């Protein structure tokens, strides 16, 4: 091989290596931007703490275990927890009723009236529970209290495990008309424990 041919081949190899390096850099840059976009999407979280489901004409919303409210309700193994939720009956005329709540980690007990008139909402909570009047889809604060409403407290007693924030626990709801639904129920994050948002790659990289 002559000196001229060797020089030409050497230049060709250097040119090929340069193109490969530039291509690899472009791939890495695109990957970084893509990762940032995915991370940004993952920051979207629910506006409420609990889970939700529709069963028949019943719309279950914000289903969650409350944080410990007292020594009696400690969410610890062997202790007792409180289940909270709202259940709106969207039927035009047919009433419904929460017949039972069951779990495989404790005995659930419904303390109070669990009837749900048509176009009303049954709200279960530790401090206040009631059915509210028409329309069921309107915010609870916009509806007067049902004069026939009775306090309702749903306790899960004899816990066989700790009810821990960050985990979910299967709970079965049975409605007389709506039917049966199983939900994975989280523990309420509480007003002093907001959900944290992960730091995305685009924030770190400056995209």
């Amino acid at each position: 091989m002559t000196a001229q041919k060797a020089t030409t081949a050497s230049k060709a190899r250097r040119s090929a290596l340069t193109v490969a390096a530039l291509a690899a850099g472009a791939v890495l840059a695109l990957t970084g931007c893509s990762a940032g976009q995915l991370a940004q999407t993952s920051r979207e979280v629910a506006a409420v703490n609990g889970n939700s489901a529709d069963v028949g004409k019943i719309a279950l919303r914000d289903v969650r275990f409350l944080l410990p409210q007292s020594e009696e309700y400690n969410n610890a193994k062997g202790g007792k927890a409180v289940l909270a939720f709202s259940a709106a009956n969207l039927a035009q005329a047919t009433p419904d009723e929460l017949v039972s709540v069951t779990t495989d980690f404790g005995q659930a007990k419904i303390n109070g009236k669990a009837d749900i008139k048509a176009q009303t909402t049954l709200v279960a909570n530790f401090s206040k529970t009631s059915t509210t009047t028409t329309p069921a889809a309107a915010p609870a604060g916009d509806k007067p209290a049902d004069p026939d409403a009775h306090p309702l407290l749903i306790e899960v007693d004899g816990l066989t495990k700790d009810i821990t924030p960050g985990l979910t626990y299967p709970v079965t709801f049975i409605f007389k008309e709506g039917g049966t639904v199983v939900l994975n129920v989280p523990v309420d994050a509480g007003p002093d424990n907001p959900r944290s948002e992960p730091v995305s790659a685009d924030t770190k990289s400056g995209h």
Side-chain angles (χ1 to χ4, degrees), residues 123-146:
V123 179
N125 208 308
F126 176 77
S127 58
K128 183 180 180 181
T129 7
S130 63
T131 50
T132 49
T133 57
T134 305
D142 296 341
K143 296 175 284 184
D146 185 339

Side-chain angles (χ1 to χ4, degrees), residues 87-205:
N89 184 359
L90 304 181
Q92 292 299 316
T94 306
D96 210 329
E97 179 185 358
L98 178 60
V99 177
S100 70
V101 177
T102 61
T103 78
D104 60 0
F105 50 85
Q107 181 66 43
K109 182 180 180 181
I110 301 174
N111 300 285
K113 187 177 180 180
D115 296 336
I116 317 173
K117 298 177 182 179
Q119 294 293 298
T120 68
T121 301
L122 177 69
V123 179
N125 208 308
F126 176 77
S127 58
K128 183 180 180 181
T129 7
S130 63
T131 50
T132 49
T133 57
T134 305
D142 296 341
K143 296 175 284 184
D146 185 339
D148 296 326
H150 295 280
L152 180 67
L153 176 66
I154 298 182
E155 303 169 312
V156 180
D157 201 0
L159 295 173
T160 60
K161 63 178 74 174
D162 293 344
I163 303 301
T164 307
L167 301 178
T168 60
Y169 304 87
V171 177
T172 301
F173 293 82
I174 301 177
F175 294 91
K176 186 175 181 180
E177 300 294 335
T180 302
V181 64
V182 180
L183 274 178
N184 288 321
V185 179
V187 178
D188 195 333
D192 298 325
N193 295 278
R195 294 183 180 183
S196 60
E197 297 183 357
V199 178
S200 63
D202 59 339
T203 300
K204 294 180 178 179
S205 63

Side-chain angles (χ1 to χ4, degrees), residues 13-25:
R13 283 196 297 273
R14 285 198 299 270
S15 178
L17 289 173
T18 300
V19 171
L22 290 173

Side-chain angles (χ1 to χ4, degrees), residues 43-119:
R43 291 203 304 266
E44 297 176 4
V45 295
V48 295
N49 290 319
N51 206 343
S52 63
D54 295 325
V55 52
K57 293 294 185 179
I58 299 296
L60 267 174
R61 296 293 182 268
D62 202 13
V63 184
R64 66 209 186 278
F65 284 104
L66 296 180
L67 287 171
Q69 303 291 319
S70 65
E71 291 184 3
E72 181 181 6
Y73 302 108
N74 54 26
N75 289 15
K77 182 177 179 180
K80 189 185 298 183
V82 175
L83 185 64
F85 60 86
S86 65
N89 184 359
L90 304 181
Q92 292 299 316
T94 306
D96 210 329
E97 179 185 358
L98 178 60
V99 177
S100 70
V101 177
T102 61
T103 78
D104 60 0
F105 50 85
Q107 181 66 43
K109 182 180 180 181
I110 301 174
N111 300 285
K113 187 177 180 180
D115 296 336
I116 317 173
K117 298 177 182 179
Q119 294 293 298

